[in-house]
Amino acid sequence: MTFDVVSFLHDLLSPGTWSLWSLLVAGPLSLACLTYLSSTIRFQTARRQGSSDKRLLQIPLVPYWVPGLFHTVSLLSPTVFLPKVVKKFGTNSPLEVRASWLRFIIVANPEHIKAVFRKTKHMTNKSNTIFALKYLMGLPKDTVRFFRDDDSGLNVTPRKGSTVPDESRIKFLIVHSLLKLLQGVHLEAAGKRYMSTLFRTLDTLHMVPEYQPQLSVDGGWTGFPDLYAFLQRVMMSSTVETIAGSKLLELYPGLVDDLSQFESDVPKFLRLLPRWLMPEAFRVQQRLLEGIKAWHAYGHQHSDCNRLGPDDPEWEPYFGIKLVRRRQQYALKIKEMTADARAAEDLGLLFAATANAVPSTFWLIFQALKDPVLVSRLRDEVSASLRTPPASPESTQGDLESKNELFDTAALLRQPLLQSAYAETLRLFVVAIVSRVAEYSDVDIAGYRVAKDSFLVMYTHLLALDPGEWARAGRTLTKPLEEFDAERFLVEPGWTRPLGKQAPAATTTTPAAVQDVDQDKGQGNSSDHDPLSYDGRRFSMDGLLGLWIPYGGGDHLCPGRHFAKQQILLTFATLITKFDIELAFPSPGAAAGVKPDMSHAPFGALPPLGKVPFRIRRKAT
Ligand code: HEM
């Protein structure tokens, strides 16, 4: 039998077949068009609601084509979808999006974000935390339930109606021990410890096979293939030793390699790839958990985690800084915090302490090395922060940190161009979703009704790259927001932020929330009245609350941010003071081709895509 094209076409185009076609194609197509039309009308109607109305406004639902499916397919690539939706529908109101069973609300207007951050009593970030603990850190199921059941909030006084006993207020215990023990004298001690550990790590780097021979003691250059891997090596081991003590690395010498591998596997874990597709990633995760568990057991045999008094050491080799001892102390009193759960929690801490700080330091150094003028100006500020050596060596006898204290850290952290370059690095390279859930009731966000259980999404890059909002905040854009501008956060003398863009009065502002808002003003850790100036300009974060959010905000604002700033700037300062470093691409224009690895978005700071070769030589002392 031969195939007759003519009769086939005849059949296809005959009236009977047409009705089949219209049923198969035109039917669904018209349904999709009708759905889109009606959802657009509903969207526009919601958008036109009168704000004079006393009732709270309804959040418009982004139009969609396919009922039931909604935006599921587009959401497979959230970093493309979110900017596209916001570009199309604007930021005047929050936007509700549906993707099959999932509903969430995009908040992309800085005023609305401020309002979200103020609702500390009503909003939690539990879903994000639990997601990360469960799928990334391997927290056991029973402990996940225990975390989920904690409805006591972050205030010293538990939320009204919560029956969680004080000793089981896990979220409060975690966040408050971090806030308390990573500030003031504790933060200062951790910074000094980090600095001296970093010096030692750099001095002994040749003991790591990939970094032989020794970083040129003879003044010659040594080339290495990968600046990011180098920073991972030196920053991770210095951070782990500072936070967790030296015994962990002694017991588990492969920890830095495993933690580096684990961090590069984050996108796979958080995209929920099954175990059979990434067996090696799960093996590494398991090794980390077992290694941490063994360290805990060893630590408890040799040290006492109750040593938290003012006369007890800020750091000791078994459990590191007081924060880690405190975490063991409260966790040991909670039955759900089994040895496996404590290992997962501390994997979370080591991850949080390195996963964003290392890539951020990479980009700061990389941007500086690309630009000879910038690096020399940053070096001037670093030199101005060098500590004057003590008059007599005896005055610091016995105190290793003080002897190794090359920088006056407080002075370093106040330098205007350094702070601006640091803030700019985080603006551009931290690509994260900060989320909140209206856990306890409906909430009023800037006049909009956010229904109980709604999931709110604030995407750092939407704000970081929105020229209209930066202009409204009174910032002049010398370079486009897509580019790195080390001076972006410097303002002229006498500059003040435009008035009239204050956040709408919060309906319920707790004292903690007010305090956070003040903190947020200086998330870069600066004072707006800092006498230090750069070319007559000063560093200022004023007016950027809700716009610069790499550390989130409100009472969940990252409690590790002060330590992170120290890590980043101390590492940068040490490397450019003790060494000469240069990028070593074979061709001159190659540096321009170095891009961030977007597969890590929206999970935090982005590592570079590919390797960045460099050469380094120790400076003559
Ligand atoms: C450049 C470095 C860092 C960045 C960009 C960063 C970013 C963030 C962000 C976006 C959040 C969510 C905040 C929110 O929901 O509003 C967060 C939370 C958190 N961060 Fe960081 N972080 C950094 C460094 C650190 C360090 C060094 C530590 C610990 C030593 C740390 C510990 C935490 C913890 C425990 C939370 C959870 C707070 C809560 O649930 O209330 N982070 N961080």
Side-chain angles (χ1 to χ4, degrees), residues 117 125 128-129 154 171 174-175 178 182 243 323 349 352-354 356-357 360 426 430 432 434-436 460 549-561 563-564 567-568 605:
F117 286 161
N125 67 349
N128 250 13
T129 315
L154 283 190
K171 199 68 196 179
I174 291 174
V175 172
L178 261 145
L182 272 184
I243 289 187
L323 169 66
L349 179 68
T354 50
N356 290 303
S360 302
L426 265 56
V430 175
V434 177
S435 75
R436 291 292 182 270
T460 54
I549 56 165
Y551 287 123
D555 63 354
H556 291 288
L557 175 65
C558 171
R561 65 196 182 283
F563 181 68
Q567 282 171 296
I568 296 169

mmCIF file of all heavy atoms in Angstrom, residues 117 125 128-129 154 171 174-175 178 182 243 323 349 352-354 356-357 360 426 430 432 434-436 460 549-561 563-564 567-568 605, ligand 1:
data_model
loop_
_atom_site.group_PDB
_atom_site.id
_atom_site.type_symbol
_atom_site.label_atom_id
_atom_site.label_comp_id
_atom_site.label_asym_id
_atom_site.label_seq_id
_atom_site.Cartn_x
_atom_site.Cartn_y
_atom_site.Cartn_z
ATOM 1 N N PHE A 117 9.480 43.594 56.741
ATOM 2 C CA PHE A 117 10.501 43.433 57.782
ATOM 3 C C PHE A 117 10.022 43.966 59.140
ATOM 4 O O PHE A 117 10.502 43.551 60.181
ATOM 5 C CB PHE A 117 11.799 44.130 57.371
ATOM 6 C CG PHE A 117 12.565 43.399 56.289
ATOM 7 C CD1 PHE A 117 13.524 44.058 55.521
ATOM 8 C CD2 PHE A 117 12.338 42.058 56.031
ATOM 9 C CE1 PHE A 117 14.237 43.395 54.527
ATOM 10 C CE2 PHE A 117 13.040 41.380 55.036
ATOM 11 C CZ PHE A 117 13.987 42.057 54.281
ATOM 12 N N ASN A 125 10.640 33.170 59.010
ATOM 13 C CA ASN A 125 11.349 32.645 57.830
ATOM 14 C C ASN A 125 11.532 31.134 57.976
ATOM 15 O O ASN A 125 12.449 30.543 57.424
ATOM 16 C CB ASN A 125 12.701 33.339 57.641
ATOM 17 C CG ASN A 125 13.678 33.001 58.742
ATOM 18 O OD1 ASN A 125 13.294 32.408 59.748
ATOM 19 N ND2 ASN A 125 14.924 33.372 58.571
ATOM 20 N N ASN A 128 12.041 28.688 54.869
ATOM 21 C CA ASN A 128 13.385 28.658 54.276
ATOM 22 C C ASN A 128 14.365 27.886 55.144
ATOM 23 O O ASN A 128 15.135 27.064 54.660
ATOM 24 C CB ASN A 128 13.915 30.099 54.133
ATOM 25 C CG ASN A 128 13.979 30.521 52.688
ATOM 26 O OD1 ASN A 128 13.428 29.859 51.825
ATOM 27 N ND2 ASN A 128 14.630 31.627 52.426
ATOM 28 N N THR A 129 14.307 28.172 56.455
ATOM 29 C CA THR A 129 15.245 27.527 57.372
ATOM 30 C C THR A 129 15.035 26.018 57.366
ATOM 31 O O THR A 129 15.985 25.242 57.255
ATOM 32 C CB THR A 129 15.016 28.038 58.815
ATOM 33 O OG1 THR A 129 14.877 29.443 58.765
ATOM 34 C CG2 THR A 129 16.122 27.654 59.751
ATOM 35 N N LEU A 154 10.768 35.015 68.062
ATOM 36 C CA LEU A 154 12.168 35.358 68.344
ATOM 37 C C LEU A 154 12.321 36.314 69.517
ATOM 38 O O LEU A 154 13.441 36.648 69.893
ATOM 39 C CB LEU A 154 12.812 36.002 67.112
ATOM 40 C CG LEU A 154 13.227 35.081 65.968
ATOM 41 C CD1 LEU A 154 14.063 35.822 64.958
ATOM 42 C CD2 LEU A 154 14.009 33.874 66.483
ATOM 43 N N LYS A 171 14.391 28.088 67.775
ATOM 44 C CA LYS A 171 14.730 29.194 66.876
ATOM 45 C C LYS A 171 15.273 30.380 67.688
ATOM 46 O O LYS A 171 16.265 31.009 67.324
ATOM 47 C CB LYS A 171 13.457 29.565 66.104
ATOM 48 C CG LYS A 171 13.666 30.333 64.855
ATOM 49 C CD LYS A 171 14.341 29.568 63.749
ATOM 50 C CE LYS A 171 14.776 30.611 62.801
ATOM 51 N NZ LYS A 171 15.378 30.711 61.723
ATOM 52 N N ILE A 174 18.801 29.516 68.855
ATOM 53 C CA ILE A 174 19.807 29.598 67.773
ATOM 54 C C ILE A 174 20.141 31.051 67.465
ATOM 55 O O ILE A 174 21.301 31.469 67.475
ATOM 56 C CB ILE A 174 19.286 28.898 66.488
ATOM 57 C CG1 ILE A 174 19.198 27.398 66.704
ATOM 58 C CG2 ILE A 174 20.169 29.207 65.297
ATOM 59 C CD1 ILE A 174 18.565 26.623 65.560
ATOM 60 N N VAL A 175 19.102 31.830 67.191
ATOM 61 C CA VAL A 175 19.350 33.198 66.713
ATOM 62 C C VAL A 175 19.935 34.073 67.825
ATOM 63 O O VAL A 175 20.886 34.827 67.607
ATOM 64 C CB VAL A 175 18.060 33.805 66.114
ATOM 65 C CG1 VAL A 175 18.240 35.280 65.807
ATOM 66 C CG2 VAL A 175 17.674 33.046 64.851
ATOM 67 N N LEU A 178 23.565 33.395 68.598
ATOM 68 C CA LEU A 178 24.411 33.993 67.543
ATOM 69 C C LEU A 178 24.527 35.501 67.720
ATOM 70 O O LEU A 178 25.614 36.076 67.647
ATOM 71 C CB LEU A 178 23.796 33.699 66.178
ATOM 72 C CG LEU A 178 24.424 32.531 65.437
ATOM 73 C CD1 LEU A 178 23.405 31.778 64.645
ATOM 74 C CD2 LEU A 178 25.522 33.027 64.519
ATOM 75 N N LEU A 182 28.174 36.755 68.853
ATOM 76 C CA LEU A 182 28.952 37.263 67.714
ATOM 77 C C LEU A 182 28.838 38.776 67.667
ATOM 78 O O LEU A 182 28.653 39.371 66.601
ATOM 79 C CB LEU A 182 28.489 36.635 66.409
ATOM 80 C CG LEU A 182 29.146 35.311 66.005
ATOM 81 C CD1 LEU A 182 28.667 34.837 64.653
ATOM 82 C CD2 LEU A 182 30.680 35.384 66.005
ATOM 83 N N ILE A 243 35.892 29.339 64.423
ATOM 84 C CA ILE A 243 34.569 29.109 65.008
ATOM 85 C C ILE A 243 34.547 27.816 65.836
ATOM 86 O O ILE A 243 34.068 27.799 66.965
ATOM 87 C CB ILE A 243 33.498 29.060 63.891
ATOM 88 C CG1 ILE A 243 33.330 30.475 63.344
ATOM 89 C CG2 ILE A 243 32.179 28.509 64.404
ATOM 90 C CD1 ILE A 243 32.224 30.651 62.360
ATOM 91 N N LEU A 323 30.224 30.690 71.207
ATOM 92 C CA LEU A 323 28.977 30.398 70.492
ATOM 93 C C LEU A 323 28.784 28.885 70.315
ATOM 94 O O LEU A 323 27.689 28.360 70.526
ATOM 95 C CB LEU A 323 29.010 31.091 69.119
ATOM 96 C CG LEU A 323 27.917 30.686 68.146
ATOM 97 C CD1 LEU A 323 26.544 31.129 68.641
ATOM 98 C CD2 LEU A 323 28.179 31.252 66.757
ATOM 99 N N LEU A 349 25.932 25.726 60.559
ATOM 100 C CA LEU A 349 26.701 26.897 61.020
ATOM 101 C C LEU A 349 27.968 27.083 60.176
ATOM 102 O O LEU A 349 28.269 28.195 59.728
ATOM 103 C CB LEU A 349 27.068 26.721 62.503
ATOM 104 C CG LEU A 349 27.894 27.867 63.100
ATOM 105 C CD1 LEU A 349 27.055 29.142 63.193
ATOM 106 C CD2 LEU A 349 28.437 27.505 64.482
ATOM 107 N N ALA A 352 26.919 28.298 56.810
ATOM 108 C CA ALA A 352 26.506 29.714 56.817
ATOM 109 C C ALA A 352 27.717 30.629 56.939
ATOM 110 O O ALA A 352 27.760 31.711 56.361
ATOM 111 C CB ALA A 352 25.546 29.972 57.982
ATOM 112 N N ALA A 353 28.736 30.160 57.673
ATOM 113 C CA ALA A 353 29.897 31.008 57.920
ATOM 114 C C ALA A 353 30.857 31.074 56.735
ATOM 115 O O ALA A 353 31.763 31.910 56.724
ATOM 116 C CB ALA A 353 30.633 30.503 59.158
ATOM 117 N N THR A 354 30.677 30.194 55.755
ATOM 118 C CA THR A 354 31.630 30.199 54.638
ATOM 119 C C THR A 354 30.980 30.347 53.258
ATOM 120 O O THR A 354 31.575 30.922 52.357
ATOM 121 C CB THR A 354 32.451 28.879 54.628
ATOM 122 O OG1 THR A 354 31.536 27.776 54.721
ATOM 123 C CG2 THR A 354 33.416 28.815 55.785
ATOM 124 N N ASN A 356 28.745 32.146 51.838
ATOM 125 C CA ASN A 356 28.582 33.468 51.222
ATOM 126 C C ASN A 356 29.849 34.313 51.341
ATOM 127 O O ASN A 356 30.146 35.124 50.467
ATOM 128 C CB ASN A 356 27.428 34.221 51.895
ATOM 129 C CG ASN A 356 26.091 33.602 51.559
ATOM 130 O OD1 ASN A 356 25.740 33.471 50.394
ATOM 131 N ND2 ASN A 356 25.348 33.194 52.571
ATOM 132 N N ALA A 357 30.572 34.121 52.440
ATOM 133 C CA ALA A 357 31.743 34.972 52.665
ATOM 134 C C ALA A 357 32.847 34.686 51.642
ATOM 135 O O ALA A 357 33.511 35.610 51.158
ATOM 136 C CB ALA A 357 32.272 34.776 54.085
ATOM 137 N N SER A 360 31.982 36.122 48.162
ATOM 138 C CA SER A 360 31.983 37.592 48.245
ATOM 139 C C SER A 360 33.423 38.113 48.261
ATOM 140 O O SER A 360 33.751 39.085 47.579
ATOM 141 C CB SER A 360 31.255 38.076 49.504
ATOM 142 O OG SER A 360 29.932 37.577 49.492
ATOM 143 N N LEU A 426 28.422 42.772 47.666
ATOM 144 C CA LEU A 426 27.248 42.022 48.134
ATOM 145 C C LEU A 426 26.011 42.373 47.307
ATOM 146 O O LEU A 426 25.170 41.525 47.030
ATOM 147 C CB LEU A 426 26.995 42.305 49.624
ATOM 148 C CG LEU A 426 27.620 41.287 50.584
ATOM 149 C CD1 LEU A 426 29.117 41.140 50.391
ATOM 150 C CD2 LEU A 426 27.320 41.635 52.022
ATOM 151 N N VAL A 430 25.424 38.708 45.686
ATOM 152 C CA VAL A 430 24.555 37.876 46.535
ATOM 153 C C VAL A 430 23.188 37.852 45.862
ATOM 154 O O VAL A 430 22.509 38.877 45.772
ATOM 155 C CB VAL A 430 24.441 38.435 47.974
ATOM 156 C CG1 VAL A 430 23.429 37.617 48.775
ATOM 157 C CG2 VAL A 430 25.803 38.396 48.665
ATOM 158 N N ALA A 432 19.880 36.093 46.208
ATOM 159 C CA ALA A 432 19.164 35.202 47.118
ATOM 160 C C ALA A 432 17.691 35.576 47.196
ATOM 161 O O ALA A 432 17.313 36.718 46.925
ATOM 162 C CB ALA A 432 19.775 35.301 48.516
ATOM 163 N N VAL A 434 14.931 36.106 49.883
ATOM 164 C CA VAL A 434 14.638 36.254 51.316
ATOM 165 C C VAL A 434 13.138 36.001 51.413
ATOM 166 O O VAL A 434 12.360 36.605 50.667
ATOM 167 C CB VAL A 434 14.989 37.687 51.793
ATOM 168 C CG1 VAL A 434 14.620 37.857 53.252
ATOM 169 C CG2 VAL A 434 16.479 37.973 51.560
ATOM 170 N N SER A 435 12.741 35.090 52.284
ATOM 171 C CA SER A 435 11.313 34.747 52.293
ATOM 172 C C SER A 435 10.694 34.943 53.674
ATOM 173 O O SER A 435 11.405 34.964 54.689
ATOM 174 C CB SER A 435 11.135 33.289 51.884
ATOM 175 O OG SER A 435 11.513 32.460 52.942
ATOM 176 N N ARG A 436 9.397 35.102 53.678
ATOM 177 C CA ARG A 436 8.649 35.156 54.933
ATOM 178 C C ARG A 436 7.338 34.414 54.749
ATOM 179 O O ARG A 436 6.787 34.377 53.641
ATOM 180 C CB ARG A 436 8.310 36.607 55.328
ATOM 181 C CG ARG A 436 9.487 37.467 55.740
ATOM 182 C CD ARG A 436 10.109 37.013 57.052
ATOM 183 N NE ARG A 436 11.204 37.885 57.436
ATOM 184 C CZ ARG A 436 12.476 37.705 57.078
ATOM 185 N NH1 ARG A 436 12.821 36.675 56.325
ATOM 186 N NH2 ARG A 436 13.414 38.545 57.475
ATOM 187 N N THR A 460 16.682 39.441 46.088
ATOM 188 C CA THR A 460 17.683 40.519 46.248
ATOM 189 C C THR A 460 18.010 41.228 44.928
ATOM 190 O O THR A 460 18.148 42.445 44.899
ATOM 191 C CB THR A 460 19.001 39.961 46.821
ATOM 192 O OG1 THR A 460 19.435 38.883 45.994
ATOM 193 C CG2 THR A 460 18.845 39.473 48.243
ATOM 194 N N ILE A 549 19.485 44.359 50.300
ATOM 195 C CA ILE A 549 19.059 43.356 51.292
ATOM 196 C C ILE A 549 19.833 42.027 51.205
ATOM 197 O O ILE A 549 19.245 40.958 51.363
ATOM 198 C CB ILE A 549 17.537 43.098 51.213
ATOM 199 C CG1 ILE A 549 17.107 42.683 49.791
ATOM 200 C CG2 ILE A 549 16.740 44.297 51.677
ATOM 201 C CD1 ILE A 549 15.700 42.063 49.744
ATOM 202 N N PRO A 550 21.139 42.069 50.970
ATOM 203 C CA PRO A 550 21.850 40.790 50.884
ATOM 204 C C PRO A 550 21.841 40.019 52.197
ATOM 205 O O PRO A 550 22.040 38.801 52.197
ATOM 206 C CB PRO A 550 23.289 41.187 50.509
ATOM 207 C CG PRO A 550 23.424 42.595 50.948
ATOM 208 C CD PRO A 550 22.062 43.203 50.797
ATOM 209 N N TYR A 551 21.610 40.735 53.314
ATOM 210 C CA TYR A 551 21.542 40.056 54.606
ATOM 211 C C TYR A 551 20.102 39.905 55.090
ATOM 212 O O TYR A 551 19.869 39.610 56.258
ATOM 213 C CB TYR A 551 22.331 40.847 55.656
ATOM 214 C CG TYR A 551 23.842 40.769 55.505
ATOM 215 C CD1 TYR A 551 24.611 41.925 55.368
ATOM 216 C CD2 TYR A 551 24.500 39.548 55.533
ATOM 217 C CE1 TYR A 551 25.999 41.858 55.266
ATOM 218 C CE2 TYR A 551 25.885 39.464 55.428
ATOM 219 C CZ TYR A 551 26.628 40.624 55.295
ATOM 220 O OH TYR A 551 28.004 40.544 55.198
ATOM 221 N N GLY A 552 19.126 40.108 54.211
ATOM 222 C CA GLY A 552 17.731 40.017 54.640
ATOM 223 C C GLY A 552 17.367 41.244 55.454
ATOM 224 O O GLY A 552 17.876 42.343 55.197
ATOM 225 N N GLY A 553 16.488 41.055 56.445
ATOM 226 C CA GLY A 553 16.084 42.231 57.225
ATOM 227 C C GLY A 553 15.174 41.868 58.381
ATOM 228 O O GLY A 553 14.844 40.696 58.606
ATOM 229 N N GLY A 554 14.773 42.901 59.128
ATOM 230 C CA GLY A 554 13.891 42.707 60.283
ATOM 231 C C GLY A 554 14.583 41.872 61.346
ATOM 232 O O GLY A 554 15.811 41.862 61.447
ATOM 233 N N ASP A 555 13.790 41.112 62.109
ATOM 234 C CA ASP A 555 14.452 40.387 63.198
ATOM 235 C C ASP A 555 15.106 39.082 62.735
ATOM 236 O O ASP A 555 15.694 38.369 63.528
ATOM 237 C CB ASP A 555 13.524 40.178 64.410
ATOM 238 C CG ASP A 555 12.331 39.320 64.083
ATOM 239 O OD1 ASP A 555 12.158 38.981 62.897
ATOM 240 O OD2 ASP A 555 11.568 39.001 65.005
ATOM 241 N N HIS A 556 15.012 38.788 61.436
ATOM 242 C CA HIS A 556 15.773 37.644 60.923
ATOM 243 C C HIS A 556 17.038 38.089 60.202
ATOM 244 O O HIS A 556 17.759 37.255 59.641
ATOM 245 C CB HIS A 556 14.920 36.801 59.976
ATOM 246 C CG HIS A 556 13.818 36.075 60.690
ATOM 247 N ND1 HIS A 556 14.061 35.008 61.506
ATOM 248 C CD2 HIS A 556 12.489 36.299 60.733
ATOM 249 C CE1 HIS A 556 12.927 34.580 62.024
ATOM 250 N NE2 HIS A 556 11.953 35.363 61.565
ATOM 251 N N LEU A 557 17.243 39.407 60.157
ATOM 252 C CA LEU A 557 18.460 39.947 59.536
ATOM 253 C C LEU A 557 19.655 39.079 59.946
ATOM 254 O O LEU A 557 19.818 38.787 61.136
ATOM 255 C CB LEU A 557 18.636 41.382 60.065
ATOM 256 C CG LEU A 557 19.883 42.151 59.678
ATOM 257 C CD1 LEU A 557 19.904 42.397 58.188
ATOM 258 C CD2 LEU A 557 19.922 43.483 60.424
ATOM 259 N N CYS A 558 20.474 38.712 58.974
ATOM 260 C CA CYS A 558 21.539 37.734 59.232
ATOM 261 C C CYS A 558 22.338 38.057 60.506
ATOM 262 O O CYS A 558 22.985 39.098 60.584
ATOM 263 C CB CYS A 558 22.481 37.698 58.031
ATOM 264 S SG CYS A 558 23.953 36.720 58.354
ATOM 265 N N PRO A 559 22.314 37.153 61.483
ATOM 266 C CA PRO A 559 23.039 37.428 62.722
ATOM 267 C C PRO A 559 24.555 37.276 62.582
ATOM 268 O O PRO A 559 25.292 37.637 63.483
ATOM 269 C CB PRO A 559 22.475 36.380 63.699
ATOM 270 C CG PRO A 559 21.986 35.274 62.837
ATOM 271 C CD PRO A 559 21.586 35.872 61.522
ATOM 272 N N GLY A 560 25.002 36.765 61.426
ATOM 273 C CA GLY A 560 26.449 36.570 61.237
ATOM 274 C C GLY A 560 27.082 37.698 60.443
ATOM 275 O O GLY A 560 28.254 37.629 60.082
ATOM 276 N N ARG A 561 26.300 38.768 60.147
ATOM 277 C CA ARG A 561 26.784 39.768 59.197
ATOM 278 C C ARG A 561 28.027 40.524 59.672
ATOM 279 O O ARG A 561 28.883 40.879 58.867
ATOM 280 C CB ARG A 561 25.665 40.742 58.826
ATOM 281 C CG ARG A 561 25.180 41.597 59.982
ATOM 282 C CD ARG A 561 23.845 42.238 59.661
ATOM 283 N NE ARG A 561 23.382 43.109 60.737
ATOM 284 C CZ ARG A 561 22.850 42.674 61.872
ATOM 285 N NH1 ARG A 561 22.716 41.373 62.084
ATOM 286 N NH2 ARG A 561 22.462 43.515 62.808
ATOM 287 N N PHE A 563 30.388 39.378 61.631
ATOM 288 C CA PHE A 563 31.528 38.477 61.493
ATOM 289 C C PHE A 563 31.904 38.344 60.007
ATOM 290 O O PHE A 563 33.078 38.355 59.641
ATOM 291 C CB PHE A 563 31.196 37.110 62.104
ATOM 292 C CG PHE A 563 32.330 36.133 62.019
ATOM 293 C CD1 PHE A 563 33.496 36.332 62.750
ATOM 294 C CD2 PHE A 563 32.262 35.024 61.180
ATOM 295 C CE1 PHE A 563 34.563 35.435 62.657
ATOM 296 C CE2 PHE A 563 33.327 34.129 61.082
ATOM 297 C CZ PHE A 563 34.470 34.338 61.820
ATOM 298 N N ALA A 564 30.878 38.254 59.151
ATOM 299 C CA ALA A 564 31.133 38.109 57.712
ATOM 300 C C ALA A 564 31.916 39.309 57.174
ATOM 301 O O ALA A 564 32.855 39.155 56.396
ATOM 302 C CB ALA A 564 29.808 37.969 56.963
ATOM 303 N N GLN A 567 35.470 38.872 58.180
ATOM 304 C CA GLN A 567 36.149 37.839 57.375
ATOM 305 C C GLN A 567 36.542 38.404 56.008
ATOM 306 O O GLN A 567 37.667 38.241 55.558
ATOM 307 C CB GLN A 567 35.194 36.684 57.072
ATOM 308 C CG GLN A 567 34.927 35.689 58.146
ATOM 309 C CD GLN A 567 33.773 34.788 57.678
ATOM 310 O OE1 GLN A 567 32.655 35.239 57.493
ATOM 311 N NE2 GLN A 567 34.058 33.514 57.492
ATOM 312 N N ILE A 568 35.575 39.046 55.365
ATOM 313 C CA ILE A 568 35.791 39.499 53.981
ATOM 314 C C ILE A 568 36.884 40.571 53.941
ATOM 315 O O ILE A 568 37.841 40.481 53.173
ATOM 316 C CB ILE A 568 34.462 40.023 53.380
ATOM 317 C CG1 ILE A 568 33.458 38.879 53.285
ATOM 318 C CG2 ILE A 568 34.687 40.673 52.018
ATOM 319 C CD1 ILE A 568 32.022 39.301 52.962
ATOM 320 N N ALA A 605 25.447 33.949 47.698
ATOM 321 C CA ALA A 605 26.535 34.538 46.908
ATOM 322 C C ALA A 605 26.969 33.562 45.810
ATOM 323 O O ALA A 605 27.031 32.350 46.032
ATOM 324 C CB ALA A 605 27.705 34.871 47.816
HETATM 325 C C1 HEM B 1 28.445 37.505 53.139
HETATM 326 C C2 HEM B 1 28.047 36.688 54.077
HETATM 327 C C3 HEM B 1 26.611 36.379 54.419
HETATM 328 C C4 HEM B 1 25.454 36.641 53.709
HETATM 329 C C5 HEM B 1 25.313 37.336 52.364
HETATM 330 C C6 HEM B 1 24.345 36.140 54.500
HETATM 331 C C7 HEM B 1 23.016 36.238 54.128
HETATM 332 C C8 HEM B 1 21.957 35.836 54.909
HETATM 333 C C9 HEM B 1 20.563 36.001 54.566
HETATM 334 C C10 HEM B 1 20.025 36.626 53.280
HETATM 335 C C11 HEM B 1 19.827 35.488 55.571
HETATM 336 C C12 HEM B 1 18.286 35.445 55.658
HETATM 337 C C13 HEM B 1 17.842 36.707 56.402
HETATM 338 C C14 HEM B 1 16.344 36.926 56.427
HETATM 339 O O1 HEM B 1 15.587 35.951 56.318
HETATM 340 O O2 HEM B 1 15.928 38.087 56.554
HETATM 341 C C15 HEM B 1 20.743 34.970 56.555
HETATM 342 C C16 HEM B 1 20.363 34.348 57.727
HETATM 343 C C17 HEM B 1 21.242 33.741 58.579
HETATM 344 N N1 HEM B 1 22.609 33.805 58.543
HETATM 345 FE FE1 HEM B 1 23.731 34.775 57.169
HETATM 346 N N2 HEM B 1 24.842 35.561 55.634
HETATM 347 C C18 HEM B 1 26.212 35.695 55.630
HETATM 348 C C19 HEM B 1 27.083 35.268 56.618
HETATM 349 C C20 HEM B 1 26.728 34.567 57.743
HETATM 350 C C21 HEM B 1 27.635 34.101 58.752
HETATM 351 C C22 HEM B 1 29.152 34.374 58.748
HETATM 352 C C23 HEM B 1 26.900 33.415 59.674
HETATM 353 C C24 HEM B 1 27.313 32.724 60.949
HETATM 354 C C25 HEM B 1 28.499 32.768 61.484
HETATM 355 C C26 HEM B 1 25.508 33.476 59.249
HETATM 356 C C27 HEM B 1 24.447 32.892 59.930
HETATM 357 C C28 HEM B 1 23.119 33.070 59.592
HETATM 358 C C29 HEM B 1 21.999 32.491 60.341
HETATM 359 C C30 HEM B 1 22.095 31.592 61.569
HETATM 360 C C31 HEM B 1 20.824 32.927 59.715
HETATM 361 C C32 HEM B 1 19.364 32.584 60.096
HETATM 362 C C33 HEM B 1 18.770 33.747 60.880
HETATM 363 C C34 HEM B 1 17.292 33.537 61.194
HETATM 364 O O3 HEM B 1 16.749 32.518 60.800
HETATM 365 O O4 HEM B 1 16.688 34.400 61.840
HETATM 366 N N3 HEM B 1 25.444 34.174 58.080
HETATM 367 N N4 HEM B 1 22.026 35.201 56.135
#
